[in-house]
Amino acid sequence: DNRLWVTAVTMDGNIVWRTDAGPYRSNEGYASSPALHGSLVIVAADSKGAVLDRLGGAAFVAGLDCRSAAIVWRVKRPSLDSYGTPIVAQVCGRAQLLLSGGQHIVSYDPATGKELWKHAWPMDRSAGNPAFDQERVFVSATIWNAEIVSLKGDPSLPADQSRQVWNLQTGVADVPVPLVLADQLFVLNDAGVLTCCSVADGKIHWKKRFKGPFSASPVSAAGRIYAANEEGRTLVIDPQTGDLLSENPLPEPVFATPALAGQQIYIRTSEALYAIEQPATDITLRTRPHATDQQANCGIFMPLRFSRRRFLQGTAATLAAGATYWLTRDVVRIGLIGCGVRGQYLAMSVLQT
């Protein structure tokens, strides 16, 4: 109906409220994610809108009250199709709502929607959200003049003073968002080229090519970079050298960025949600003795050892050290391991012994 609807649900999936936030019509559909700040949920609707909406300007960013759905503030945006996600960041000692889109990169006060600063750039649209450190904002886009730009995030700078610190025209990402680690910026472009450069001046330290394409953004944990390509393979990369440390396949494509919480990494594929963590101990997986081909569903595999990762799908079964798990060719082919203890199935990454 050419409208942007925002819905609040409970953890049980019950709808609390649903409200019409304003007009929205885009060639590629809606791709932005909401942002949270205090009691507000913030949504961006960068679009040209339907023909009638264009007369008054269709695009906007708005803050809605999480409990009542009331619109607390709304700000007009350029009427261009853009797909970036607003992000609330602590930059230069204060909360800033950062949003990149057509024509401008803008910082707002997330509580009121007041514009803090704006940077003009030659892009028609943005597909990812900005990255940031304590003082700077980093944005990458490719339509139509590919560029990675570093900007000063200080709201007190005069409006006529340039915010740009440096820019690059190589290794530019469209969909994946850059990753900031200490004094380095990592940009993984859609084709699979990972560029490591200095956040201070943009100097390139190294470049490595990995098998793409990539839509998901790289994330970091335990001193490693994790990047999931569209084929469903999660690459573990050394951020110091760019060396590939391991490659972990899942049976379905991945387009969503992995999420990190506690000791687990969560990966949503086109078919399932996986929770992955390092187990407390290795578990040896043995072939089933005296099994016929029919029982084993086309054969038995060699003994395998559980690697340092476990992939849980659906209900998690407890893995006990010393327990024996049966493997069959059909189960392994689709990436699942039969658990002989409870009859449940787990998706795991395994290595031959």
Side-chain angles (χ1 to χ4, degrees):
D1 61 355
N2 298 327
R3 311 296 295 179
L4 177 61
W5 291 89
V6 183
T7 303
V9 297
T10 67
M11 297 300 292
D12 297 325
N14 298 316
I15 295 178
V16 180
W17 53 256
R18 185 169 184 258
T19 190
D20 178 357
Y24 186 85
R25 182 177 181 179
S26 170
N27 291 334
E28 303 296 336
Y30 193 72
S32 180
S33 297
L36 297 175
H37 178 71
S39 61
L40 298 179
V41 55
I42 300 168
V43 294
D46 283 2
S47 75
K48 295 177 182 178
V51 175
L52 292 179
D53 296 326
R54 296 175 192 172
L55 297 177
F60 66 92
V61 58
L64 287 71
D65 185 273
C66 287
R67 294 190 177 276
S68 68
I71 295 178
V72 177
W73 58 261
R74 179 197 297 270
V75 177
K76 284 189 175 182
R77 298 269 300 165
S79 293
L80 295 169
D81 287 349
S82 194
Y83 310 98
T85 289
I87 184 169
V88 179
Q90 286 290 330
V91 181
C92 293
R94 66 156 299 158
Q96 300 189 39
L97 176 68
L98 305 173
L99 181 56
S100 57
Q103 301 178 350
H104 294 93
I105 301 165
V106 187
S107 170
Y108 303 94
D109 183 333
T112 66
K114 177 184 177 182
E115 184 179 299
L116 299 177
W117 56 263
K118 178 190 293 185
H119 173 78
W121 71 336
M123 299 295 168
D124 280 353
R125 66 120 171 102
S126 176
N129 57 266
F132 61 92
D133 64 10
Q134 293 182 342
E135 299 178 352
R136 291 163 288 240
V137 175
F138 310 95
V139 187
S140 180
T142 62
I143 306 298
W144 292 101
N145 300 281
E147 178 182 60
I148 306 165
V149 62
S150 169
L151 305 175
K152 299 173 184 176
D154 186 356
S156 66
L157 288 179
D160 59 353
Q161 183 174 333
S162 174
R163 290 190 171 272
Q164 182 169 305
V165 181
W166 53 262
N167 69 339
L168 290 175
Q169 285 81 40
T170 181
V172 182
D174 186 25
V175 178
V177 176
L179 172 67
V180 178
L181 286 179
D183 59 351
Q184 295 178 325
L185 181 71
F186 298 86
V187 183
L188 177 65
N189 73 10
D190 307 56
V193 176
L194 179 61
T195 302
C196 172
C197 61
S198 168
V199 297
D201 57 12
K203 179 181 178 181
I204 296 176
H205 300 309
W206 51 259
K207 274 188 177 185
K208 294 291 180 73
R209 178 177 288 277
F210 301 98
K211 186 177 181 181
F214 287 84
S215 288
S217 304
V219 296
S220 176
R224 300 288 184 265
I225 293 174
Y226 298 84
N229 67 17
E230 292 182 7
E231 291 185 356
R233 296 180 176 272
T234 301
L235 312 181
V236 184
I237 302 166
D238 186 336
Q240 299 302 317
T241 63
D243 293 339
L244 180 63
L245 302 178
S246 64
E247 186 173 323
N248 305 282
L250 287 174
E252 303 98 19
V254 174
F255 298 92
T257 299
L260 304 170
Q263 300 298 312
Q264 293 185 330
I265 181 171
Y266 298 87
I267 300 177
R268 178 169 63 87
T269 70
S270 61
E271 303 293 334
L273 175 66
Y274 295 84
I276 306 164
E277 70 177 13
Q278 179 172 321
T281 182
D282 283 351
I283 299 172
T284 301
L285 305 173
R286 306 178 186 281
T287 54
R288 184 174 181 174
H290 311 301
T292 65
D293 281 349
Q294 183 177 6
Q295 290 172 320
N297 199 357
C298 300
I300 298 297
F301 267 65
M302 296 173 62
L304 300 172
R305 178 172 295 278
F306 182 45
S307 70
R308 294 182 180 179
R309 302 164 300 280
R310 87 179 167 193
F311 291 59
L312 304 182
Q313 180 182 23
T315 302
T318 301
L319 301 183
T324 299
Y325 298 86
W326 313 129
L327 301 178
T328 68
R329 177 170 299 173
D330 183 64
V331 171
V332 171
R333 178 182 60 80
I334 61 173
L336 301 177
I337 295 178
C339 173
V341 175
R342 292 177 144 183
Q344 296 176 341
Y345 284 94
L346 301 175
M348 300 181 186
S349 175
V350 294
L351 301 173
Q352 282 191 345
T353 54

